[in-house]
Amino acid sequence: MEADELEEMKKVDIRTVDISTLVDIGEIKINRELPKKERMLSFINEVKNPFCFICNGMVVKTSYSDTNESLENKLARLCIEMARE
């Protein structure tokens, strides 16, 4: 996949996207025994657009940052911050 293709995928508008072109991530199976890089490539190949997909019947748009912190840790931190308010 080329960088310009990924840039186009980032621009997808969830309000106008053709839902029939999106993949339901609940149907994706990733071999957890593969090295991290191969798991990421496998996910990208199966999901078609890593920035826009379906999860539990809902269209989801994501963005990614270059960090070693896991999504679980970020969500846990968010929950703690929200509980303080």
Side-chain angles (χ1 to χ4, degrees):
M1 188 170 294
E2 301 293 324
D4 57 330
E5 290 176 293
L6 285 173
E7 285 302 317
E8 284 301 311
M9 290 178 188
K10 284 183 190 179
K11 295 178 185 177
V12 169
D13 185 337
I14 64 170
R15 296 168 295 184
T16 59
V17 69
D18 178 357
I19 295 173
S20 69
T21 65
L22 301 178
V23 173
D24 185 335
I25 63 169
E27 297 175 9
I28 294 177
K29 304 292 184 230
I30 303 295
N31 181 349
R32 294 180 181 265
E33 294 179 9
L34 293 173
K36 181 179 178 181
K37 184 176 181 177
E38 289 181 38
R39 288 193 315 263
M40 289 186 331
L41 291 172
S42 177
F43 174 76
I44 290 170
N45 285 331
E46 289 200 42
V47 78
K48 309 285 190 272
N49 182 343
F51 302 100
C52 192
F53 46 83
I54 296 174
C55 180
N56 291 326
M58 183 178 272
V59 176
V60 176
K61 178 149 184 195
T62 62
S63 61
Y64 300 90
S65 60
D66 188 16
T67 179
N68 287 328
E69 187 174 13
S70 72
L71 178 59
E72 281 181 298
N73 288 344
K74 286 183 181 273
L75 290 173
R77 193 164 22 96
L78 175 64
C79 290
I80 290 167
E81 290 173 14
M82 289 175 66
R84 290 182 185 155
E85 294 179 1

